[in-house]
Amino acid sequence: MSRRSGILEFAVLGLLRESPMHGYELRKRLNTSLGIFRAFSYGTLYPCLKTLVASGWLIEEPAGVSADTAPVAGRSAASSSSLTGRRAKIVYRLTAEGKEHFEELLSHTGPDAWEDEHFAARFAFFGQTEREVRMRVLEGRRSRLEERLEKMRASLARTRERLDDYTLELQRHGMESVEREVRWLNELIESERSGRDRRRSSPEGSAQQETPGETGGLPRHRDNTPPDPSDDTAK
Protein backbone atom coordinates (compact mmCIF):
# COMPACT_ATOMS: atom_id res chain seq x y z
CA MET A 1 0.00 0.00 0.00
CA SER A 2 1.36 3.43 -0.94
CA ARG A 3 1.53 6.19 1.63
CA ARG A 4 -1.02 8.22 -0.34
CA SER A 5 -3.58 5.38 -0.40
CA GLY A 6 -2.99 4.76 3.31
CA ILE A 7 -3.80 8.39 4.09
CA LEU A 8 -6.94 8.20 1.95
CA GLU A 9 -8.15 5.06 3.73
CA PHE A 10 -7.55 6.73 7.09
CA ALA A 11 -9.54 9.81 6.05
CA VAL A 12 -12.42 7.75 4.64
CA LEU A 13 -12.71 5.71 7.83
CA GLY A 14 -12.64 8.91 9.89
CA LEU A 15 -15.39 10.59 7.90
CA LEU A 16 -17.59 7.49 7.94
CA ARG A 17 -17.15 7.26 11.69
CA GLU A 18 -19.14 10.52 11.84
CA SER A 19 -21.97 9.19 9.67
CA PRO A 20 -22.66 6.89 6.69
CA MET A 21 -22.23 8.55 3.28
CA HIS A 22 -22.42 7.72 -0.40
CA GLY A 23 -19.46 8.19 -2.70
CA TYR A 24 -20.30 11.70 -3.88
CA GLU A 25 -20.72 12.94 -0.30
CA LEU A 26 -17.40 11.38 0.67
CA ARG A 27 -15.58 12.97 -2.25
CA LYS A 28 -17.08 16.36 -1.44
CA ARG A 29 -16.09 16.12 2.22
CA LEU A 30 -12.57 14.98 1.34
CA ASN A 31 -12.17 17.94 -1.02
CA THR A 32 -13.72 20.63 1.17
CA SER A 33 -12.85 19.52 4.70
CA LEU A 34 -9.49 17.88 3.95
CA GLY A 35 -7.81 20.07 1.37
CA ILE A 36 -4.95 17.62 0.91
CA PHE A 37 -7.29 15.53 -1.27
CA ARG A 38 -8.47 18.36 -3.52
CA ALA A 39 -6.74 16.84 -6.58
CA PHE A 40 -7.96 13.24 -6.30
CA SER A 41 -10.70 11.65 -8.40
CA TYR A 42 -13.44 9.04 -8.25
CA GLY A 43 -10.97 6.68 -9.88
CA THR A 44 -8.95 6.89 -6.67
CA LEU A 45 -11.82 6.86 -4.17
CA TYR A 46 -13.82 3.85 -5.35
CA PRO A 47 -10.94 1.34 -5.38
CA CYS A 48 -10.20 2.53 -1.84
CA LEU A 49 -13.83 1.95 -0.81
CA LYS A 50 -13.83 -1.53 -2.37
CA THR A 51 -10.66 -2.39 -0.47
CA LEU A 52 -12.18 -1.25 2.82
CA VAL A 53 -15.35 -3.26 2.13
CA ALA A 54 -13.29 -6.37 1.31
CA SER A 55 -11.37 -5.89 4.56
CA GLY A 56 -14.62 -5.92 6.54
CA TRP A 57 -14.20 -2.32 7.73
CA LEU A 58 -17.12 -0.97 5.67
CA ILE A 59 -20.40 -2.30 4.37
CA GLU A 60 -22.31 -1.21 1.29
CA GLU A 61 -26.04 -0.70 1.52
CA PRO A 62 -28.72 0.95 -0.63
CA ALA A 63 -29.57 4.48 0.47
CA GLY A 64 -32.42 4.52 2.99
CA VAL A 65 -31.67 1.11 4.49
CA SER A 66 -31.47 1.12 8.28
CA ALA A 67 -28.57 -0.33 10.23
CA ASP A 68 -30.83 -3.18 11.41
CA THR A 69 -31.38 -4.40 7.86
CA ALA A 70 -27.95 -3.52 6.47
CA PRO A 71 -25.93 -6.15 4.58
CA VAL A 72 -23.25 -7.99 6.50
CA ALA A 73 -19.66 -6.76 6.33
CA GLY A 74 -17.98 -7.35 2.98
CA ARG A 75 -21.26 -8.10 1.14
CA SER A 76 -22.19 -5.98 -1.87
CA ALA A 77 -25.49 -4.12 -2.08
CA ALA A 78 -25.99 -5.30 -5.67
CA SER A 79 -28.53 -7.93 -4.62
CA SER A 80 -30.77 -5.23 -3.11
CA SER A 81 -30.65 -3.09 -6.24
CA SER A 82 -31.52 -6.08 -8.45
CA LEU A 83 -34.86 -6.39 -6.65
CA THR A 84 -35.88 -2.89 -7.69
CA GLY A 85 -34.73 -3.26 -11.29
CA ARG A 86 -32.51 -0.18 -11.13
CA ARG A 87 -29.18 0.71 -9.64
CA ALA A 88 -29.55 2.00 -6.09
CA LYS A 89 -27.36 4.73 -4.66
CA ILE A 90 -24.81 2.98 -2.45
CA VAL A 91 -24.16 4.24 1.05
CA TYR A 92 -21.02 3.21 2.92
CA ARG A 93 -21.25 2.49 6.62
CA LEU A 94 -18.45 1.84 9.12
CA THR A 95 -18.54 -1.60 10.77
CA ALA A 96 -17.59 -2.31 14.37
CA GLU A 97 -14.32 -3.75 13.06
CA GLY A 98 -13.77 -0.63 10.99
CA LYS A 99 -14.30 1.60 14.00
CA GLU A 100 -11.82 -0.46 16.01
CA HIS A 101 -9.29 -0.27 13.18
CA PHE A 102 -9.68 3.50 12.86
CA GLU A 103 -9.21 3.96 16.60
CA GLU A 104 -6.02 1.92 16.35
CA LEU A 105 -4.79 4.16 13.53
CA LEU A 106 -5.63 7.24 15.63
CA SER A 107 -3.33 6.00 18.38
CA HIS A 108 -0.26 5.83 16.10
CA THR A 109 2.30 8.56 16.77
CA GLY A 110 5.30 7.43 14.72
CA PRO A 111 7.25 9.43 12.12
CA ASP A 112 4.66 8.89 9.38
CA ALA A 113 2.21 10.98 11.42
CA TRP A 114 4.59 13.95 11.22
CA GLU A 115 4.94 14.09 7.43
CA ASP A 116 3.15 16.79 5.47
CA GLU A 117 0.08 15.07 4.02
CA HIS A 118 -0.30 12.48 6.79
CA PHE A 119 -0.08 15.19 9.46
CA ALA A 120 -2.79 17.22 7.74
CA ALA A 121 -5.10 14.20 7.74
CA ARG A 122 -4.27 13.37 11.36
CA PHE A 123 -4.90 16.95 12.44
CA ALA A 124 -8.29 16.96 10.71
CA PHE A 125 -9.36 14.20 13.13
CA PHE A 126 -7.79 15.61 16.29
CA GLY A 127 -11.31 16.08 17.63
CA GLN A 128 -11.53 12.27 17.83
CA THR A 129 -8.00 11.82 19.20
CA GLU A 130 -6.86 11.50 22.82
CA ARG A 131 -4.97 14.48 24.25
CA GLU A 132 -1.71 12.60 24.91
CA VAL A 133 -1.69 11.29 21.34
CA ARG A 134 -2.33 14.80 20.01
CA MET A 135 0.62 16.06 22.03
CA ARG A 136 2.99 13.42 20.69
CA VAL A 137 1.96 14.07 17.10
CA LEU A 138 2.28 17.86 17.48
CA GLU A 139 5.69 17.59 19.15
CA GLY A 140 6.89 15.14 16.50
CA ARG A 141 5.70 17.45 13.72
CA ARG A 142 7.45 20.41 15.31
CA SER A 143 10.68 18.44 15.66
CA ARG A 144 10.52 17.39 12.00
CA LEU A 145 9.98 21.00 10.86
CA GLU A 146 12.78 22.32 13.06
CA GLU A 147 15.13 19.80 11.42
CA ARG A 148 13.90 20.91 7.99
CA LEU A 149 14.36 24.57 8.90
CA GLU A 150 17.93 23.99 10.06
CA LYS A 151 18.78 22.28 6.75
CA MET A 152 17.15 25.09 4.75
CA ARG A 153 19.14 27.73 6.61
CA ALA A 154 22.39 25.83 6.12
CA SER A 155 21.67 25.37 2.42
CA LEU A 156 20.83 29.04 1.97
CA ALA A 157 24.02 30.10 3.73
CA ARG A 158 26.08 27.95 1.35
CA THR A 159 24.37 29.00 -1.88
CA ARG A 160 23.29 32.60 -1.19
CA GLU A 161 26.05 34.16 -3.31
CA ARG A 162 25.22 31.96 -6.32
CA LEU A 163 21.47 32.62 -6.36
CA ASP A 164 19.74 35.36 -8.33
CA ASP A 165 17.32 37.65 -6.51
CA TYR A 166 14.17 35.72 -7.45
CA THR A 167 15.52 32.32 -6.49
CA LEU A 168 16.77 33.79 -3.23
CA GLU A 169 13.34 35.26 -2.53
CA LEU A 170 11.71 31.90 -3.21
CA GLN A 171 14.07 30.24 -0.72
CA ARG A 172 13.22 32.87 1.89
CA HIS A 173 9.52 32.38 1.26
CA GLY A 174 9.89 28.65 1.89
CA MET A 175 11.73 29.30 5.14
CA GLU A 176 9.10 31.77 6.29
CA SER A 177 6.36 29.19 5.62
CA VAL A 178 8.12 26.62 7.79
CA GLU A 179 8.81 29.20 10.52
CA ARG A 180 5.13 30.18 10.51
CA GLU A 181 4.02 26.58 10.97
CA VAL A 182 6.51 26.10 13.82
CA ARG A 183 5.02 29.14 15.60
CA TRP A 184 1.53 27.73 15.04
CA LEU A 185 2.59 24.36 16.47
CA ASN A 186 4.13 26.11 19.48
CA GLU A 187 0.76 27.76 20.17
CA LEU A 188 -1.10 24.45 19.87
CA ILE A 189 1.35 22.59 22.10
CA GLU A 190 1.23 25.30 24.75
CA SER A 191 -2.58 25.27 24.66
CA GLU A 192 -2.64 21.48 24.99
CA ARG A 193 -0.29 21.68 27.97
CA SER A 194 -2.33 24.43 29.58
CA GLY A 195 -5.50 22.41 29.21
CA ARG A 196 -3.82 19.34 30.70
CA ASP A 197 -2.44 21.36 33.61
CA ARG A 198 -5.89 22.86 34.29
CA ARG A 199 -7.37 19.37 34.50
CA ARG A 200 -4.65 18.18 36.86
CA SER A 201 -5.09 21.17 39.17
CA SER A 202 -8.90 20.98 39.30
CA PRO A 203 -10.50 19.77 42.56
CA GLU A 204 -10.58 16.00 42.80
CA GLY A 205 -14.32 15.95 43.06
CA SER A 206 -14.77 17.92 39.85
CA ALA A 207 -12.31 15.92 37.76
CA GLN A 208 -13.88 14.54 34.60
CA GLN A 209 -12.80 11.82 32.24
CA GLU A 210 -11.37 13.27 29.05
CA THR A 211 -13.22 12.27 25.92
CA PRO A 212 -12.01 12.46 22.33
CA GLY A 213 -13.54 15.54 20.74
CA GLU A 214 -12.39 18.01 23.36
CA THR A 215 -10.87 21.07 21.72
CA GLY A 216 -9.03 22.37 24.76
CA GLY A 217 -5.81 22.28 22.76
CA LEU A 218 -6.90 24.94 20.28
CA PRO A 219 -5.88 28.54 20.92
CA ARG A 220 -9.11 30.44 21.48
CA HIS A 221 -8.12 33.50 19.47
CA ARG A 222 -5.91 33.51 16.39
CA ASP A 223 -5.83 36.24 13.80
CA ASN A 224 -4.05 34.09 11.21
CA THR A 225 -5.38 30.94 9.61
CA PRO A 226 -3.43 27.73 10.27
CA PRO A 227 -0.67 27.00 7.77
CA ASP A 228 -1.31 24.29 5.23
CA PRO A 229 1.13 21.40 5.97
CA SER A 230 0.75 20.19 2.38
CA ASP A 231 1.99 23.53 0.99
CA ASP A 232 4.92 22.73 -1.29
CA THR A 233 6.73 25.91 -0.29
CA ALA A 234 7.09 24.56 3.25
CA LYS A 235 9.11 21.53 2.16
Side-chain angles (χ1 to χ4, degrees):
M1 180 191 303
S2 69
R3 176 178 295 181
R4 179 76 171 178
S5 63
I7 298 171
L8 179 57
E9 289 185 7
F10 172 83
V12 167
L13 291 172
L15 289 175
L16 291 177
R17 190 187 188 197
E18 299 174 4
S19 66
M21 301 181 201
H22 55 72
Y24 175 77
E25 289 175 309
L26 268 172
R27 184 170 184 264
K28 185 176 180 180
R29 287 290 304 279
L30 287 165
N31 282 328
T32 58
S33 302
L34 306 174
I36 57 173
F37 295 106
R38 52 184 170 263
F40 91 110
S41 65
Y42 281 112
T44 305
L45 176 60
Y46 281 103
C48 171
L49 290 169
K50 295 299 183 184
T51 297
L52 295 175
V53 170
S55 299
W57 296 328
L58 302 182
I59 57 173
E60 298 175 317
E61 59 189 36
V65 174
S66 67
D68 293 336
T69 59
V72 298
R75 182 181 298 174
S76 171
S79 58
S80 299
S81 61
S82 64
L83 296 177
T84 65
R86 59 186 177 85
R87 183 177 180 83
K89 182 178 292 186
I90 302 302
V91 171
Y92 296 89
R93 182 186 297 275
L94 196 66
T95 65
E97 293 80 5
K99 181 179 179 181
E100 182 178 348
H101 178 62
F102 179 68
E103 290 173 350
E104 179 183 350
L105 294 176
L106 278 181
S107 69
H108 291 175
T109 59
D112 279 352
W114 314 338
E115 300 298 338
D116 294 336
E117 290 187 344
H118 207 155
F119 173 76
R122 289 297 303 270
F123 189 82
F125 295 100
F126 262 24
Q128 303 181 40
T129 306
E130 297 290 343
R131 184 186 300 273
E132 293 303 318
V133 174
R134 296 196 301 259
M135 281 289 292
R136 289 195 292 272
V137 173
L138 290 172
E139 289 172 341
R141 174 66 176 175
R142 181 177 63 180
S143 176
R144 178 58 50 86
L145 289 182
E146 288 173 340
E147 293 173 1
R148 183 183 300 174
L149 193 57
E150 183 177 349
K151 292 178 181 178
M152 294 174 73
R153 287 169 175 161
S155 176
L156 184 60
R158 290 193 306 269
T159 61
R160 181 188 300 271
E161 300 302 324
R162 301 195 299 271
L163 300 177
D164 62 63
D165 290 344
Y166 293 101
T167 304
L168 183 60
E169 190 60 31
L170 183 62
Q171 295 292 319
R172 288 172 175 163
H173 174 65
M175 287 179 55
E176 289 171 359
S177 297
V178 177
E179 290 169 345
R180 178 170 175 255
E181 187 173 347
V182 170
R183 291 194 298 269
W184 174 63
L185 290 166
N186 286 336
E187 291 181 13
L188 290 171
I189 290 169
E190 181 58 33
S191 296
E192 291 282 359
R193 286 175 177 163
S194 298
R196 181 176 59 188
D197 291 344
R198 284 196 301 270
R199 292 182 62 83
R200 287 177 175 174
S201 62
S202 62
E204 182 177 350
S206 63
Q208 297 179 352
Q209 181 70 30
E210 178 191 348
T211 58
E214 287 186 350
T215 56
L218 289 175
R220 293 300 182 186
H221 301 284
R222 273 204 312 272
D223 294 332
N224 298 324
T225 56
D228 183 354
S230 62
D231 186 349
D232 290 339
T233 61
K235 297 180 182 178

